[in-house]
Amino acid sequence: PKAGAQKDPGGLKVLRFSPSGDVKMAPKLSVTFNQPMVAVTSHKDSIAKGVPVKLTPALKGQWRWIGTRTLLFETKHRFPMATNFTATVPAGTKSKLGKALPGEHTWAFSTPPLRLSGRYPTSGPHKLTPVFFVSFDQKIDPQALIAHITVKGGNRDWAIRAATKKEIEADPVVKRWNAAAKVDKRGPRHLAFVTKEMLAPGTTYTVSVNEGAPSAEGPRKTTEAQTFTFRTYDPFKIEWSNCS
């Protein structure tokens, strides 16, 4: 170019975006362009005419510009778990230099389905009437989830039901775990339950949160069983006797 002439900045591009793909958690969304998209002005003025990114599914939150090229979206806590998201910058979106995005730019990201984070009882030996406690990494609907949990042992399935408040209070371990779980005010992430019958002694049991278990935050279901085991105490027996 001739001396003093400005180099043509070229077309508008999306330089960086996040999150993308499968993520453990999505605290925010950001996208950076190669050219200034807004004037240096107040936050209110910069988003007055909307933003050039569409998020699906839509969430309650706040869009704001970090400088003139990076757009950020934040929610009060984090993005819902167990959800597939897409973000789109439409074709024809223009920068402050008048350059247009030649084609639609879309990317996707997914937050994980339900994951077991706490479990009781484990190992053993345990009594024949245990109170079971499971906790998760995201909000659940206890009534919907209990239908996806099974207890197996001694070559049979054991029917379960939700534990009562009295049953929870009577078990010191579950009582403590249950009290700690109530700290999360965004919704229940835990479930306490019992078997409808007394378990058999000297038996190893497997508790499964089965494939297809739902989250209360999004539509993605679990794709594999999540299990843990424990054993009940051995039956009472005489091991030695003597009569002399």
Side-chain angles (χ1 to χ4, degrees):
K2 295 180 180 180
Q6 292 186 348
K7 186 178 179 180
D8 188 335
L12 178 64
K13 299 177 182 178
V14 174
L15 288 182
R16 295 183 297 275
F17 52 87
S18 69
S20 179
D22 289 326
V23 296
K24 292 183 178 180
M25 189 179 294
K28 60 187 177 181
L29 178 146
S30 68
V31 54
T32 299
F33 298 89
N34 67 328
Q35 297 176 13
M37 301 297 292
V38 292
V40 179
T41 183
S42 69
H43 163 67
K44 184 177 180 180
D45 290 341
S46 68
I47 63 170
K49 295 182 180 180
V51 295
V53 179
K54 179 182 178 182
L55 178 65
T56 305
L59 299 177
K60 290 183 179 180
Q62 184 181 55
W63 291 96
R64 60 190 177 96
W65 286 96
I66 306 299
T68 61
R69 298 191 302 140
T70 298
L71 182 62
L72 190 70
F73 177 76
E74 295 177 303
T75 64
K76 187 175 181 181
H77 298 294
R78 55 163 172 72
F79 283 40
M81 301 290 260
T83 304
N84 296 319
F85 293 93
T86 58
T88 303
V89 182
T93 298
K94 289 187 176 182
S95 71
K96 292 301 288 184
L97 301 180
K99 302 295 182 177
L101 191 69
E104 181 180 272
H105 185 96
T106 299
W107 73 97
F109 61 96
S110 300
T111 49
L114 197 66
R115 176 58 64 182
L116 186 65
S117 59
R119 65 217 75 193
Y120 179 83
T122 57
S123 302
H126 291 278
K127 61 184 181 180
L128 308 184
T129 56
V131 178
F132 298 82
F133 185 93
V134 287
S135 59
F136 300 89
D137 65 346
Q138 54 196 271
K139 183 179 176 181
I140 64 167
D141 178 344
Q143 288 185 330
L145 184 61
I146 199 169
H148 295 267
I149 298 176
T150 56
V151 177
K152 296 184 178 182
N155 297 316
R156 59 165 288 191
D157 291 352
W158 299 77
I160 62 174
R161 62 168 174 80
T164 64
K165 183 178 180 180
K166 184 177 180 180
E167 289 168 330
I168 293 172
E169 291 292 314
D171 188 303
V173 175
V174 174
K175 179 182 178 180
R176 185 172 66 251
W177 281 37
N178 190 65
K182 290 181 179 178
V183 173
D184 190 343
K185 300 185 184 301
R186 284 176 283 180
R189 295 186 178 198
H190 62 282
L191 171 64
F193 59 94
V194 296
T195 54
K196 294 181 179 180
E197 301 174 69
M198 182 181 292
L199 300 177
T203 304
T204 297
Y205 294 86
T206 299
V207 183
S208 297
V209 180
N210 295 309
E211 178 183 347
S215 167
E217 296 192 27
R220 294 187 71 189
K221 305 275 196 309
T222 57
T223 57
E224 60 184 8
Q226 301 170 66
T227 65
F228 61 97
T229 62
F230 71 97
R231 184 174 176 82
T232 51
Y233 61 73
D234 290 333
F236 178 72
K237 63 181 180 180
I238 297 174
E239 295 187 333
W240 181 87
S241 64
N242 180 50
C243 181
S244 59

